[in-house]
Amino acid sequence: MPALDVFSQHLAGLIPATGQSTFPAQLVAMLRALVPVDDASIIFYPERDLPVVEYFEEHETAGGSTLDVFAKGAFLLDPYYLAATRDRQFGVFRLRELSPSGFKDSEYYKTWYRNCGYQDECGFLIPTSEQGFVNIALGKTAARASFTQRERKLLQDIHPSVAALCQQHWAQSEGSKDGVDLRAQLHSALESFGSSLLTERETQVINLVLHGHSTKTVADKLSISMETVKLHRKHAYAKLEVSSQAELFYLFLDSLMSAKDYAGGDTLVAYLQPPARSQT
């Protein structure tokens, strides 16, 4: 059946489904009918709150659910999330278009994308409000599979309609702009991670390492030599008592999730404090 016919048939069902709980699954069904994919997820980021997983195909790994790792705060390092929040980029993108050099060597990539089995990902980034947005991720997991030029063009062609439907569906879920801005708090925690123990330059290097930047791109961003980057990273690892990027990644996650009533600063301050002795 021609793609236009498939799109038209699904669209007829999607329009009245906006605002209904069935909308995310129906949207994924339409995208699957148009472009062959092995995996799909839809994550909604409200204005001030943590992400809401609207559609997800669960992956169980030796380390537990990849969704659990993502929801603990790892989403802060996701290239799609950063494109929408930091760079205000919206549209249809492949992961390779948004990720930094060296990203596939990062612990975030290994924990999230590789554990999901992705060989290629193409996703929609759609704004729903000033700071809210939706990320629709489509993945191919077969060996050496990738999105063809025709498939990418088709996703680009239907983007305006998909965006209009998503904005109508999720605009109703934005909630109040009052209260604590949880996402802003997490951004602050990431920026400040390690700052209580490290120099300013070491903190900058560690932050870029967590985001998946290679030694070369860290050097380029900070206008220092690659050897200086390696020296800062070595000193930072020693001070943080970690020996690898994997240990650094989980130290960040553990300290973030252990923070109670976070009010700013380095989450390691409270995390490394010895537990208070009980009064007897």
Side-chain angles (χ1 to χ4, degrees), residues 158-178:
I158 67 172
H159 169 260
S161 297
V162 173
L165 288 168
C166 289
Q167 287 163 351
Q168 183 174 340
H169 178 76
W170 275 289
Q172 308 168 40
S173 306
E174 279 296 346
S176 172
K177 293 186 179 182
D178 299 327

Side-chain angles (χ1 to χ4, degrees), residues 72-270:
K72 280 183 175 180
F75 70 88
L76 292 170
L77 305 174
D78 187 76
Y80 284 94
Y81 178 78
L82 291 168
T85 57
R86 182 188 61 197
D87 304 326
R88 304 303 294 167
Q89 288 185 271
F90 298 103
V92 180
F93 306 95
R94 296 173 85 182
L95 175 64
R96 66 188 64 178
E97 297 170 336
L98 301 177
S99 55
S101 172
F103 180 67
K104 286 194 173 183
D105 295 322
S106 70
E107 194 60 28
Y108 176 79
Y109 176 85
K110 296 172 185 176
T111 302
W112 180 247
Y113 287 99
R114 195 170 71 183
N115 276 354
C116 289
Y118 286 175
Q119 297 296 315
D120 196 10
E121 178 177 351
C122 197
F124 292 81
L125 284 174
I126 298 168
T128 55
S129 62
E130 185 177 347
Q131 296 297 326
F133 66 98
V134 172
N135 177 203
I136 305 167
L138 305 173
K140 288 180 181 277
T141 60
R144 295 184 294 279
S146 63
F147 286 90
T148 66
Q149 185 176 355
R150 186 199 68 81
E151 291 168 346
R152 299 196 304 272
K153 176 66 164 55
L154 179 55
L155 293 175
Q156 292 279 3
D157 288 344
I158 67 172
H159 169 260
S161 297
V162 173
L165 288 168
C166 289
Q167 287 163 351
Q168 183 174 340
H169 178 76
W170 275 289
Q172 308 168 40
S173 306
E174 279 296 346
S176 172
K177 293 186 179 182
D178 299 327
V180 177
D181 189 334
L182 295 176
R183 283 206 280 129
Q185 284 190 343
L186 291 183
H187 290 173
S188 174
L190 176 57
E191 289 299 316
S192 301
F193 175 69
S195 60
S196 63
L197 300 173
L198 310 178
T199 66
E200 181 179 356
R201 186 62 96 188
E202 288 166 353
T203 302
Q204 292 171 337
V205 168
I206 287 305
N207 188 276
L208 290 169
V209 168
L210 280 171
H211 280 88
H213 287 277
S214 65
T215 300
K216 184 179 185 308
T217 58
V218 172
D220 291 343
K221 282 183 171 293
L222 299 180
S223 299
I224 57 179
S225 71
M226 291 174 61
E227 290 306 312
T228 301
V229 170
K230 293 176 183 177
L231 187 62
H232 284 314
R233 186 174 61 204
K234 178 182 178 181
H235 289 164
Y237 278 18
K239 292 177 182 179
L240 297 174
E241 298 184 1
V242 299
S243 59
S244 66
Q245 190 182 129
E247 291 183 10
L248 176 70
F249 177 73
Y250 286 106
L251 177 62
F252 165 65
L253 283 184
D254 286 347
S255 68
L256 182 63
M257 294 303 102
S258 298
K260 305 295 183 184
D261 301 320
Y262 178 74
D266 184 7
T267 53
L268 286 177
V269 173

